[in-house]
Amino acid sequence: FLYFPDMHGISFRIQISVKELLDTDVLLKLLFHLPVNYPSTLPDISVNSEQLTRAQCMEVKDKLLEQAKKHLSEPMVHDLILWVQQHLKDVIKQSATVCNEKTTLSKGTEDGIWMLLLHLDHMRAKTKYVKTVEKWASDLRLTGRLMFMGKIILILLQGDRSSIKEYLIRQKTSKVDVDSSRKKCKEKMMSVLCETEVQSQHKRFHSFEVKEYSTLQELEKEFETAGLETLFSEFVPPLLK
């Protein structure tokens, strides 16, 4: 929550996380600028999110401004935040159906390449686990990286959406590791940091590689090379806390 008072009113930034359709959380960044004569004047609102397309962000912003008009002359920011938490799904569903119609027309282009970033808590049977991940990536024609940096373990995958979904199912349901008594066990300590469609500014990985990094800077460089600086700064530093 950042707060910048200035001559022309007040601006503040709020990040909220909303449960979404794909069972992942959507992280929304809302920037409100309240003019001097707020609330008798509407606030300026901007909406950003790594997991939503630009069109969806615009759609959310338009809907928030519609809501804001209903609350004119009474403080409304809190109400708007509650509203977006409750209604984000519906807004996205509506704009998603529009997107889907477009993609069916342009099948065969780069449409539908998805990216998944996973965080694993630990690997006890590392050699076997790494082999399994490499095999799945190869079976499902996914490219990307399995990354080790200190205690941080990340898996970044790119490929068809259906393959990404299949990968997630395997990762959750197969006995990929061993527990403290060396019995085979399923992965219970995995978190999906991000699942999103690959945008044009992202570069595609051509292969799947396992890499170890000795510093955070090296890891950051790997993300930068792929045009994924924002993904890195959004999700990786919090893992160090």
Side-chain angles (χ1 to χ4, degrees):
F1 183 103
L2 296 167
Y3 173 84
F4 332 99
D6 64 27
M7 307 271 295
H8 313 289
I10 294 170
S11 294
F12 55 87
R13 208 175 271 155
I14 292 178
Q15 287 204 44
I16 55 169
S17 167
V18 186
K19 278 268 177 271
E20 226 308 82
L21 314 166
L22 303 166
D23 306 325
T24 53
D25 291 354
V26 169
L27 198 67
L28 277 189
K29 292 180 192 164
L30 306 173
L31 181 64
F32 289 93
H33 176 80
L34 312 182
V36 182
N37 45 1
Y38 167 86
S40 44
T41 311
L42 287 179
D44 275 332
I45 304 172
S46 77
V47 178
N48 279 300
S49 174
E50 290 281 322
Q51 292 102 319
L52 302 183
T53 61
R54 184 166 291 177
Q56 287 173 324
C57 286
M58 291 299 291
E59 185 73 20
V60 173
K61 175 188 160 168
D62 293 346
K63 291 279 190 276
L64 276 172
L65 285 170
E66 272 175 34
Q67 289 303 309
K69 285 176 189 155
K70 298 178 185 172
H71 293 283
L72 204 52
S73 79
E74 54 186 81
M76 63 186 82
V77 172
H78 182 64
D79 291 319
L80 294 178
I81 291 166
L82 288 178
W83 185 88
V84 80
Q85 284 177 312
Q86 290 162 356
H87 295 89
L88 182 68
K89 266 192 184 143
D90 311 325
V91 176
I92 290 175
K93 259 189 205 147
Q94 288 166 359
S95 63
T97 50
V98 178
C99 301
N100 290 345
E101 283 163 21
K102 283 185 196 143
T103 52
T104 47
L105 298 174
S106 50
K107 274 243 181 341
T109 60
E110 281 281 295
D111 271 341
I113 297 298
W114 280 67
M115 181 162 59
L116 180 69
L117 181 62
L118 299 174
H119 173 238
L120 302 181
D121 188 71
H122 60 270
M123 282 184 181
R124 284 204 177 89
K126 185 173 169 182
T127 318
K128 174 182 175 286
Y129 204 135
V130 168
K131 279 210 170 96
T132 306
V133 171
E134 286 180 310
K135 182 178 183 319
W136 289 343
S138 138
D139 288 351
L140 297 166
R141 315 228 320 254
L142 296 171
T143 59
R145 298 283 181 269
L146 167 52
M147 303 179 268
F148 295 94
M149 201 287 297
K151 290 192 167 170
I152 291 180
I153 308 169
L154 295 169
I155 302 178
L156 181 60
L157 295 168
Q158 293 179 340
D160 290 342
R161 191 165 186 193
S162 54
S163 304
I164 293 268
K165 286 214 171 307
E166 170 63 26
Y167 180 91
L168 264 176
I169 291 166
R170 291 188 188 189
Q171 181 86 48
K172 285 175 184 165
T173 55
S174 308
K175 291 190 172 176
V176 279
D177 206 359
V178 295
D179 61 19
S180 51
S181 55
R182 311 303 290 174
K183 279 205 188 92
K184 288 183 178 180
C185 67
K186 292 178 185 173
E187 177 58 73
K188 294 193 179 69
M189 305 281 283
M190 175 188 80
S191 45
V192 176
L193 298 179
C194 177
E195 185 178 354
T196 181
E197 193 156 8
V198 172
Q199 306 299 316
S200 53
Q201 73 271 23
H202 302 150
K203 297 189 176 56
R204 296 287 309 281
F205 289 109
H206 295 299
S207 59
F208 183 80
E209 291 174 37
V210 180
K211 287 191 162 185
E212 305 245 358
Y213 308 85
S214 45
T215 64
L216 193 62
Q217 285 71 25
E218 279 181 21
L219 183 59
E220 186 168 9
K221 218 175 186 73
E222 182 76 79
F223 277 80
E224 277 174 7
T225 314
L228 300 171
E229 302 87 335
T230 34
L231 193 70
F232 177 88
S233 54
E234 186 87 40
F235 296 107
V236 182
L239 300 174
L240 295 166
K241 285 175 187 156

